[in-house]
Amino acid sequence: MKLRIFYLLLFFCFALTTNSCRKAEEAAVDCLGEAILTSMHYDISTTNPKQLDFTISYSGEKTLTSVEWDFGDGNKTTTTNKTISHTYSTSGTYEVKTNVNLDKGKCTVSPKKSVTVE
């Protein structure tokens, strides 16, 4: 009888642990998949070489709810658009970082890109 209870308890602990880990892994894989579908691009303005036009490309099925932009020069902003223009005051190399929030923040993807401004 004691052995039967021991095996039942052992099975219960194993089942609980397996299900808990699976849920956490599924959430991580889901956002990882979204990262593959998200990228950042930029073009240099033809009229002002210090102005860069940034675009977030996203081809997944989730809803893009906001983009947090960090232009690497101390300027930050949050938009609901996939595109934005930014004018740098001085030449240099900057790391532009974004947090692309999908489905009201349930998943956040963070593409970044190094840009050189002349």
Side-chain angles (χ1 to χ4, degrees):
M1 179 72 171
K2 289 180 182 179
L3 191 57
R4 181 182 253 174
I5 292 172
F6 172 76
Y7 283 123
L8 186 59
L9 184 59
L10 185 64
F11 175 76
F12 177 76
C13 290
F14 175 77
L16 182 64
T17 304
T18 303
N19 286 336
S20 297
C21 293
R22 187 179 320 140
K23 289 180 184 175
E25 289 172 6
E26 287 172 2
V29 169
D30 191 33
C31 285
L32 179 62
E34 298 305 314
I36 294 169
L37 302 171
T38 307
S39 61
M40 180 185 6
H41 309 280
Y42 73 95
D43 292 312
I44 301 170
S45 170
T46 56
T47 57
N48 181 356
K50 289 189 175 18
Q51 178 183 327
L52 276 60
D53 301 318
F54 294 96
T55 302
I56 294 293
S57 296
Y58 173 65
S59 58
E61 295 181 10
K62 296 185 183 307
T63 302
L64 188 147
T65 52
S66 68
V67 180
E68 301 168 18
W69 299 89
D70 180 345
F71 298 104
D73 63 351
N75 289 296
K76 298 178 182 181
T77 191
T78 301
T79 67
T80 56
N81 299 326
K82 293 181 188 179
T83 61
I84 193 167
S85 292
H86 180 70
T87 303
Y88 290 88
S89 59
T90 59
S91 299
T93 300
Y94 301 93
E95 184 172 71
V96 180
K97 301 175 189 175
T98 60
N99 286 323
V100 180
N101 297 305
L102 306 168
D103 281 348
K104 299 181 181 175
K106 292 179 185 172
C107 187
T108 300
V109 179
S110 302
K112 58 184 174 181
K113 187 169 289 288
S114 181
V115 299
T116 300
V117 178
E118 309 245 344

